[in-house]
Amino acid sequence: MKKDEDIETNLSGNAENREPDSGATAEAREKWYKRFRKGITTSTAEKKETPEGLWSKCPECNYICTTTELKENLFVCPKCNYHHRIGSDEYYEILFDNNEYIELFSNIRSKDFLGFTDLKPYQKRLDEIHAKTDLKDSMRVAVGKILGSEMVVACMDFEFIGGSLGSVMGEKFSRAVDYAIERQLPYMVISKSGGARMMESAFSLMQLAKTSGKLSQLSDAGLPYISLLTDPTFGGISASFGMLGDLNIAEPGALIGFAGPRVIKETIKKDLPEGFQRSEFLLDHGFLDFIIDRKALKERLKQVMVLFQN
Amino acid sequence: MPQYPNRQFLDFEQPIKDLYEQIDQTKKMAEKNPKIDYTSNIQQLESLIVEKRREITANLTPWQRVQLSRHPDRPYTVKYIDKMTTSFLELHGDRNVRDDKAMVGGFAQLDGETVMFIGQQKGINTKTRQLRNFGMANPEGYRKALRLMKLAEKFNKPIVTLIDTPGAYPGLEAEERGQGEAIARNIYEMVRLKVPVICVIIGEGASGGALGIGVGDRVLMMENTWYTVISPESCSSILWRSWDKKEIAAEQLRLTATDMKGFGLVDEIVPEPIGGAHWDYTEAAAILKKHIIKTLNEIKPFSAEQRVNQRIRKFSKMGFWDEVVD
């Protein structure tokens, strides 16, 4: 069984640094633990690099396969069907015919309007991610063909401050709706987010109202809106457009909810039941139309489009 | 409204408590020495209390403002409804699961006009706090609110929501019954309501739990309240990974009425009696009533279509970003 994940921590933008720093912690450790043999003696300079990401281990069943094999299997574990977390690049490649699509509104960038500083200034956080990845923000919007049907697809990147909902996501979402209405296209959003972006304070909260208002316009235009929820989807997303699809669908085993499991556990002071807040749980309780394997997603979307339009 | 000695004092309100104690002592002296007239001494102390109230609230930190919004003597939704309206008819239930006591609502007469009032309700003692679940609604609370809003829409009555919640309840059953969906549905439907909607933050405006009844033509904030995406405590625990940074988190979040008005995220600040609403419920309600009536008159002339479009535009404008040339 996978270790319980603390959904909120991802929103701090420090998720990747969760391991304790070597400095102080190592010193503290020495007080009760004495290492007799020397540790790794190879100096960093002489270290041999293993090509990164050659092998991949399934966090669910520990099955090890090559990254190529995993990729060919659309990042789904060949043994246990665990759906690995992937980003917008991968989803677009899976969905769009011949990986052909046009990215929209990529020139909209987050900025630190409030001068928000937690452990790091928000602007510095943004600059660091921009330097480290090609991602510009936590959501990308693209238009392309899925088995011949054109669709606007917005997709979140969890890597970017936990896929958090801020002003940029709200604005891209809004423009995507306008674009879909203008061209009479269906709209799909692939969610993967810890919730609202705290560094944008109330502005991030208001994105819930902003996006819901735009969905109202999309609905009046008679266009389909599909909300695909993937692991994990929490907070502000599920309290707005995530749950407002004409169809709400999800990948298998995805954690989806309003409050994070840790917060609920602390509130009710009880252990949470097995499978709580998983896609299958949401389906049972009536909040999803169906669960869809990543490998069947494209065909199913085509089926939906045909049923909606013909 | 509790009177001294039943009043409760926050740490920064201690100087006021001291003055009350001085009045008490003076009164005791007056009893002992009936020949001496202490009236002017007492009057002087009483005016000092008012002065102290003014002085304290003039220089509050954001965190103190949060504390004031949670003052145990602060008036809650039903109190405001009682003081502002006549003929309040409370309506119960979401017609589905149960009646959520953390959310109240019903029709009432405001200045001779029928208005639907909806709001979170907190308790005033241990028993009622539990009954009201500390103002944290479950999905059925949001669905009850929506049912009442639709009822108001059917009879073409304006809606006023009074927001005071530390958040939507993060419980197991709440998740089973779709807390996210309930809030999402409310936000979506509130955008589309054909009747005038005014939302007022009267205490705590915490995140989705507040916005779930917080989408309207106009959003007002009382002077000593806060409204943002997360409580300062939770923000501290997530971003600073410690519960001790709530004061800093409160500053960084810019959650006060002044900040929110400055950002254009709320439309108006409703002043409170000197020292805060907990000093005078009648006056607090009278000021709020005046603001609600004035605002209602401003938004009433619009057609349903204009109202919905303006609402969508109002929230669409919120946000900040840069556009770069690729």
Side-chain angles (χ1 to χ4, degrees):
Chain A
M1 194 57 215
K2 247 190 326 177
K3 191 172 73 181
D4 279 351
E5 188 186 347
D6 193 348
I7 300 298
E8 290 80 13
T9 313
N10 298 298
L11 291 173
S12 68
N14 293 316
E16 69 278 9
N17 305 327
R18 240 175 305 170
E19 294 303 315
D21 297 340
S22 48
T25 332
E27 271 171 38
R29 214 181 280 140
E30 268 181 9
K31 283 176 189 159
W32 59 272
Y33 174 78
K34 183 90 182 126
R35 187 191 286 274
F36 291 106
R37 277 195 300 172
K38 270 186 187 164
I40 297 164
T41 47
T42 318
S43 71
T44 315
E46 290 166 31
K47 197 174 103 183
K48 280 181 195 146
E49 288 294 333
T50 312
E52 207 184 307
L54 200 58
W55 294 92
S56 171
K57 185 169 153 187
C58 173
E60 193 72 38
C61 71
N62 294 336
Y63 178 78
I64 295 171
C65 65
T66 64
T67 313
T68 326
E69 192 186 344
L70 189 67
K71 194 182 172 201
E72 274 165 13
N73 211 34
L74 308 186
F75 303 94
V76 175
C77 173
K79 196 176 161 213
C80 75
N81 202 38
Y82 170 77
H83 284 51
H84 286 254
R85 285 182 189 169
I86 52 176
S88 56
D89 256 340
E90 289 79 16
Y91 274 110
Y92 288 157
E93 192 176 342
I94 290 168
L95 284 174
F96 290 123
D97 301 345
N98 310 317
N99 198 17
E100 282 170 10
Y101 59 91
I102 300 164
E103 187 172 349
L104 304 167
F105 324 121
S106 60
N107 60 330
I108 305 173
R109 303 289 155 80
S110 288
K111 69 168 175 184
D112 181 15
F113 177 77
L114 299 173
F116 192 99
T117 302
D118 46 84
L119 294 175
K120 248 184 234 171
Y122 177 37
Q123 190 60 53
K124 197 175 166 212
R125 230 175 251 295
L126 292 169
D127 294 343
E128 282 177 9
I129 310 171
H130 288 152
K132 216 164 62 182
T133 72
D134 288 337
L135 298 171
K136 304 299 177 217
D137 213 273
S138 52
M139 180 188 261
R140 287 166 73 209
V141 179
V143 61
K145 283 186 175 149
I146 297 172
L147 294 174
S149 311
E150 207 172 12
M151 196 191 268
V152 181
V153 182
C155 184
M156 293 177 200
D157 281 290
F158 196 68
E159 218 185 311
F160 201 101
I161 320 189
S164 51
L165 166 59
S167 300
V168 169
M169 192 190 284
E171 183 62 15
K172 282 189 176 181
F173 185 104
S174 298
R175 293 195 197 184
V177 168
D178 290 339
Y179 185 93
I181 293 174
E182 199 181 300
R183 282 157 216 246
Q184 293 289 295
L185 294 174
Y187 182 38
M188 175 163 83
V189 175
I190 305 173
S191 294
K192 190 186 286 291
S193 165
R197 189 174 292 174
M198 280 165 280
M199 299 84 171
E200 294 189 13
S201 193
F203 283 94
S204 69
L205 179 63
M206 296 308 156
Q207 304 311 310
L208 277 67
K210 176 170 175 169
T211 51
S212 303
K214 293 307 285 187
L215 281 181
S216 158
Q217 292 180 327
L218 189 74
S219 183
D220 287 343
L223 295 166
Y225 165 55
I226 298 165
S227 171
L228 170 60
L229 309 170
T230 73
D231 186 53
T233 299
F234 275 88
I237 307 293
S238 81
S240 65
F241 57 85
M243 281 291 166
L244 291 173
D246 294 316
L247 299 184
N248 293 335
I249 63 179
E251 287 186 344
L255 261 182
I256 303 159
F258 175 69
R262 181 184 58 86
V263 175
I264 298 173
K265 222 159 132 179
E266 281 171 11
T267 307
I268 64 170
K269 297 180 177 67
K270 267 188 240 164
D271 278 336
L272 301 172
E274 186 81 8
F276 181 65
Q277 293 184 319
R278 298 275 169 197
S279 308
E280 296 73 15
F281 171 96
L282 268 87
L283 183 78
D284 275 351
H285 286 89
F287 293 99
L288 296 178
D289 288 281
F290 55 80
I291 294 170
I292 183 75
D293 263 45
R294 198 174 283 161
K295 280 181 269 180
L297 176 62
K298 206 170 162 169
E299 285 286 347
R300 185 63 64 88
L301 287 174
K302 176 70 182 174
Q303 182 193 359
V304 168
M305 286 311 106
V306 169
L307 288 169
F308 274 179
Q309 286 165 348
N310 290 5
Chain B
M1 186 169 58
Q3 295 300 326
Y4 186 82
N6 296 323
R7 273 191 178 283
Q8 303 185 65
F9 295 89
L10 300 172
D11 50 0
F12 56 87
E13 288 181 319
Q14 275 307 312
I16 304 173
K17 191 182 180 187
D18 296 345
L19 287 168
Y20 271 110
E21 276 163 6
Q22 281 184 41
I23 292 180
D24 257 11
Q25 280 163 8
T26 316
K27 278 179 182 164
K28 271 179 203 151
M29 298 227 307
E31 273 171 34
K32 272 187 213 157
N33 311 300
K35 283 176 197 155
I36 308 168
D37 185 10
Y38 285 95
T39 324
S40 64
N41 300 50
I42 292 172
Q43 276 170 351
Q44 205 185 351
L45 282 167
E46 277 169 349
S47 59
L48 265 178
I49 286 178
V50 177
E51 202 35 58
K52 209 43 147 183
R53 275 158 52 183
R54 190 195 312 278
E55 196 184 304
I56 285 171
T57 33
N59 297 302
L60 289 178
T61 65
W63 172 248
Q64 287 173 327
R65 202 72 76 176
V66 172
Q67 287 179 290
L68 215 49
S69 78
R70 297 170 179 168
H71 198 292
D73 291 340
R74 205 173 160 82
Y76 301 132
T77 294
V78 172
K79 183 62 73 183
Y80 281 110
I81 298 176
D82 281 347
K83 294 261 179 198
M84 292 192 296
T85 71
T86 55
S87 190
F88 175 49
L89 179 65
E90 189 179 349
L91 304 171
H92 294 275
D94 70 336
R95 299 292 186 270
N96 193 9
V97 176
R98 61 179 194 119
D99 184 45
D100 191 338
K101 308 287 185 208
M103 186 78 79
V104 296
F107 286 117
Q109 295 262 304
L110 180 79
D111 209 23
E113 187 191 1
T114 302
V115 172
M116 172 60 79
F117 280 89
I118 295 166
Q120 289 101 350
Q121 178 67 23
K122 292 177 175 174
I124 51 167
N125 51 41
T126 309
K127 203 178 153 194
T128 52
R129 276 185 197 112
Q130 273 173 355
L131 176 79
R132 302 293 186 183
N133 201 25
F134 304 88
M136 294 184 284
N138 273 280
E140 50 272 26
Y142 290 98
R143 292 181 181 130
K144 165 178 164 182
L146 183 57
R147 182 178 78 82
L148 299 184
M149 289 188 250
K150 288 292 195 181
L151 197 63
E153 186 180 43
K154 175 175 172 180
F155 296 109
N156 199 25
K157 303 297 177 213
I159 299 164
V160 173
T161 68
L162 302 178
I163 297 162
D164 187 7
T165 182
Y169 187 60
L172 192 133
E173 287 87 6
E175 294 291 321
E176 283 179 345
R177 296 198 284 267
Q179 188 69 284
E181 196 275 344
I183 293 171
R185 185 66 49 199
N186 277 24
I187 295 172
Y188 180 84
E189 293 293 343
M190 286 186 89
V191 171
R192 300 170 70 93
L193 286 168
K194 295 187 180 81
V195 292
V197 185
I198 298 174
C199 309
V200 192
I201 315 286
I202 60 164
E204 298 186 84
S207 198
L211 195 67
I213 56 165
V215 179
D217 304 298
R218 296 280 190 279
V219 183
L220 317 183
M221 246 178 117
M222 293 188 67
E223 197 183 334
N224 297 305
T225 64
W226 63 275
Y227 189 16
T228 191
V229 69
I230 189 167
S231 73
E233 289 94 331
S234 302
C235 183
S236 160
S237 99
I238 298 169
L239 293 185
W240 281 267
R241 277 172 264 163
S242 141
W243 291 98
D244 311 328
K245 305 284 184 196
K246 52 186 191 283
E247 287 93 348
I248 299 172
E251 276 166 34
Q252 292 293 312
L253 284 166
R254 314 283 294 272
L255 42 61
T256 66
T258 320
D259 285 323
M260 291 292 284
K261 172 84 169 37
F263 298 145
L265 299 181
V266 302
D267 301 287
E268 212 176 313
I269 301 175
V270 181
E272 292 183 18
I274 295 164
H278 57 290
W279 289 103
D280 193 337
Y281 294 178
T282 309
E283 194 194 340
I287 302 170
L288 179 57
K289 182 177 175 178
K290 204 179 78 193
H291 276 78
I292 290 175
I293 292 171
K294 186 188 84 161
T295 312
L296 265 181
N297 288 331
E298 280 167 23
I299 58 177
K300 255 193 251 166
F302 301 113
S303 72
E305 200 191 339
Q306 281 173 321
R307 234 194 296 282
V308 174
N309 287 338
Q310 280 172 15
R311 236 177 261 149
I312 294 174
R313 230 175 300 137
K314 174 186 173 72
F315 286 95
S316 286
K317 278 191 297 193
M318 294 177 182
F320 50 87
W321 59 85
D322 277 332
E323 286 191 46
V324 298
V325 183
D326 274 338

